[in-house]
Amino acid sequence: MGSLEVGFFSFVHEKKYILLRRLYVSSNSRNKHIGTQIVRYIQLYSKFNSKEFRVNVYDDDAEKFYNHLGFKLKFKTFGLEV
């Protein structure tokens, strides 16, 4: 029996908050609530540690996903390509 990779995630436990740095679910594993389950697990972890839960958002699809889960825009970051 082979392995099945459905995606990956990375988060960090900072002093005042938990930051979900990356969340990726492969296209053939989407719409199965895998990403939602991961976010809810980290949200619960944040609550148990009395920390704010933050996420990095890099595109419109991610923004829609997090809005759907109840996240609200808190910061905007601008960058300059060199």
Side-chain angles (χ1 to χ4, degrees), residues 10-81:
S10 167
F11 73 97
V12 292
H13 190 141
E14 296 289 348
K15 187 173 184 176
K16 296 183 179 183
Y17 58 88
I18 305 295
L19 174 64
L20 177 56
R21 295 174 47 191
R22 301 241 190 288
L23 171 61
Y24 173 77
V25 177
S26 63
S27 58
N28 61 340
S29 297
R30 292 181 185 161
N31 299 313
K32 297 178 182 176
H33 306 285
I34 294 168
T36 299
Q37 290 176 21
I38 292 168
V39 169
R40 294 298 182 219
Y41 174 81
I42 299 170
Q43 183 180 19
L44 186 61
Y45 177 81
S46 298
K47 188 174 185 176
F48 284 149
N49 287 279
S50 300
K51 306 283 184 187
E52 178 183 14
F53 181 24
R54 298 180 184 177
V55 297
N56 281 341
V57 178
Y58 295 103
D59 60 43
D60 291 339
D61 289 338
E63 187 173 342
K64 289 176 193 172
F65 172 72
Y66 292 116
N67 281 331
H68 176 75
L69 294 179
F71 285 79
K72 303 293 181 217
L73 180 64
K74 191 164 185 176
F75 308 106
K76 275 201 177 196
T77 303
F78 293 90
L80 180 61
E81 303 246 351

